[in-house]
Structures are given as structure tokens and as C-alpha cells.
Amino acid sequence: MTPSTQVVQELPAVTVLDLEFGTATDLVQDLNAASHRFPLSPVAWMKGQLRVPVIYDVNDVAARAFENLVRAFDGIRGTHGRWLIDAQVALASDYARKVNAGAGTLVARQPVAPVAGGPKWLATNITVPGLRTTGFSLYFLPDQILVQSGKQFASWRYCDVVARVATSRFIEAQVVPPDAVQVDHTWKYANKKGGPDRRFKNNPMLPVMQYAELEITGPGLTLLWQFSNIAAAQAFTQQLAAMPTLTPEAASSSDNPADAHAGSAMTPTTGTPGSRPAPGWYPDPSHVANWRWWNGEAWSEHAG
């Protein structure tokens, strides 16, 4: 017996250069420029010269929507099982299904790291929820979603993004997440009736888990994420769909903490775009500490 030809559905291997993103913001342009700069010295990083500062004033309706998104993302961070699905293979023959625990589809996936900070070239005063994988990441800002592939960035407006969540049954051959729900079981080698194939000695029982699958579709790309905590995925999807649409407006310069790329509801804290901000504590652009003192002209050595 030999397996028949299988249908492979591989997610498109696109880069951000291929995306037809709705708005090319100045923030994206500055991030692309910063990510390709040669790091001359550690001092340059300490002074924030290789980072793009973004200061948001969170005090309105749009800010509250973003705060709700951040709170819902805390549930994602607390989820024990998180993956990005790279490819799906439909198993068309009985033999293929039998030697794959009776599954109708094989899934290739990679782990996801949910982070509460943006890309390393971004310095900001807010929490930036992000879903980070090897070579590809999404970061959720108040006015846009940053799409990162390697050192290249693109952006999506929230009005151009569709998020859907559904539950799916998944035969788990790896470690079972403690927050997942087991709904059934099967065997590594299953017969046509779903029972164990007695011809195989090494035929362990495998749990069938119920996971959440979050599909995020933006212009030019669809991403499928899998989470073991269904309630957390549903809550995050609901808040993602509730995000208002803002028009990103870029300030003129990005060499000091005053320069913000903000929507109509998220304004720079210093008032006049391009002006030097008043001395004070700002998010540490080097990420060595939480905050660093800006003396009005340059970053100081004082951090906390």
C-alpha cells in the first residue's frame, strides 16, 4: 500500500514588499530606514539615534479602545499554546489518514511569542502588543498594525483588517497545554473505525484537543494563528474588531522623543511637531531600562 497524492495548501510566502497595504505611513518609512542603518556604536543606541520615537497621549475614546485591546492581549500572553500555521496538507487517502492518527489534514506550525513591546527600532510610551515568530511579526498600535518581515515593515489600517475566530479539533502529538480542553482521543495509527490499528506495536493514544483558530486578513495576506485558550482568543478578536480607524499623521522628524506618528485621536505630547520636548522621563530607547532622562537636547545616562 502506498499513499495517494495529497493536496498541499501552503500559506503564501509573501514579504512585506509584496503587500498592498492601505496606507504607507511615515512611521513605516522611518522604521524601514532605521532598520537598515548601520549601528555605528552602542552610544548611538543609548542616545536613541537608531530608533524611531513615538509618543502617544492616551486620553480619549480611541485610547480606551486600545487599552481594551491591550487588556485582551494579556489573555493571549497567558495562553500556554500559541502557534502560527504555516501550511496545511489535506490527506485524501485512507492510508494517509490511517498513518496520521486518522486526521483529515496535516498542519505545519511554528511557536508564537506574544510580546508587550514593539520592534527594537521603535521607542514608545505605550504597551505594544505583538505576535512574534521567526522572521514574521504583527504589532498592534493605536492607529495601525505594523507588519514586519525581517527588517522590512508595512502597515495595515484597522478598517482594512478582518479578524475571525473559530474552534477546531486538533490531534496533539506534542505537549498538551494545560489550559486546553480535550474533547476526544485517537491513536497514532488508527483503523477505519477510529480504533487502534493492532498491527502496530508502537501505537500510543493521542488526545484530540479543541483549539481556537484566529484568522487575520489584511490587504495582500491572510495569517492563521492557533491558541489553546479559546476564551482568550475570542476576547482578543472582539477587541481587535472594535478598534476605530484613525488617519496616521507623521511629525516632521524622528530624532527626539517629541516626534510622534499619531492619528487624530493620538496626538504628540509636546504639541508642535518637530519641536524639542521638555526635559523629562521618556521610554528608554535602548530598552536597557524602562525610562531614561531626556535633558532637552540629548539622552542622559540617568535611567530607571
Side-chain angles (χ1 to χ4, degrees), residues 1-3 95 98 199:
M1 293 185 295
T2 58
Y95 177 81
K98 179 174 65 176
R199 294 174 296 176

Side-chain angles (χ1 to χ4, degrees), residues 13 42 47 63 68 71 102-103 145 177 182 248 265 271 288-289 299:
K47 291 184 177 181
N68 291 336
R71 281 195 292 269
I145 299 175
Q182 181 174 343
V288 173
W299 297 105

Side-chain angles (χ1 to χ4, degrees), residues 19-23 136 138 143-147 154-161 216-223:
L19 299 183
E20 301 175 2
F21 46 85
T23 55
F136 200 93
L138 289 186
D143 52 354
Q144 59 193 296
I145 299 175
L146 292 178
V147 185
S155 68
W156 288 338
R157 299 179 301 177
Y158 282 102
C159 63
D160 297 326
V161 173
I216 300 179
T217 301
L221 181 64
T222 295
L223 298 170

Side-chain angles (χ1 to χ4, degrees), residues 39-51 120-121 285-286:
L40 298 178
S41 69
V43 177
W45 282 100
M46 292 295 292
K47 291 184 177 181
Q49 295 174 356
L50 300 181
R51 299 182 187 274
K120 66 179 182 179
W121 297 281
S286 66

Side-chain angles (χ1 to χ4, degrees), residues 60-242:
D60 56 13
V61 175
R64 287 192 291 273
F66 182 67
E67 290 170 356
N68 291 336
L69 181 69
V70 172
R71 281 195 292 269
F73 187 76
D74 287 339
I76 295 295
R77 295 182 67 191
T79 299
H80 291 268
R82 308 168 298 260
W83 304 271
L84 173 65
I85 295 179
D86 293 319
Q88 299 183 87
V89 181
L91 303 178
S93 70
D94 292 339
Y95 177 81
R97 289 190 291 269
K98 179 174 65 176
V99 297
N100 287 284
T105 303
L106 284 183
V107 172
R109 59 184 184 173
Q110 61 171 304
V112 174
V115 296
K120 66 179 182 179
W121 297 281
L122 177 67
T124 182
N125 63 327
I126 62 172
T127 299
V128 181
L131 296 171
R132 183 180 296 168
T133 67
T134 303
F136 200 93
S137 303
L138 289 186
Y139 298 101
F140 303 90
L141 293 173
D143 52 354
Q144 59 193 296
I145 299 175
L146 292 178
V147 185
Q148 180 187 359
S149 177
K151 291 186 177 182
Q152 198 71 26
F153 291 87
S155 68
W156 288 338
R157 299 179 301 177
Y158 282 102
C159 63
D160 297 326
V161 173
V162 176
R164 302 183 182 91
V165 65
T167 59
S168 65
R169 292 163 58 96
F170 189 87
I171 301 171
E172 187 58 80
Q174 301 178 8
V175 177
V176 175
D179 57 350
V181 176
Q182 181 174 343
V183 294
D184 204 346
H185 65 270
T186 185
W187 283 263
K188 183 178 180 180
Y189 302 103
N191 57 34
K192 292 183 178 180
K193 295 182 179 181
D197 192 328
R198 303 296 182 183
R199 294 174 296 176
F200 296 87
K201 292 183 178 180
N202 182 21
N203 192 8
M205 181 184 295
L206 299 176
V208 179
M209 312 304 296
Q210 189 173 48
Y211 290 155
E213 289 190 352
L214 170 57
E215 181 183 270
I216 300 179
T217 301
L221 181 64
T222 295
L223 298 170
L224 189 59
W225 313 83
Q226 189 180 66
F227 300 100
S228 58
N229 190 317
I230 296 174
Q234 291 173 335
F236 179 70
T237 305
Q238 181 179 4
Q239 296 304 324
L240 184 58

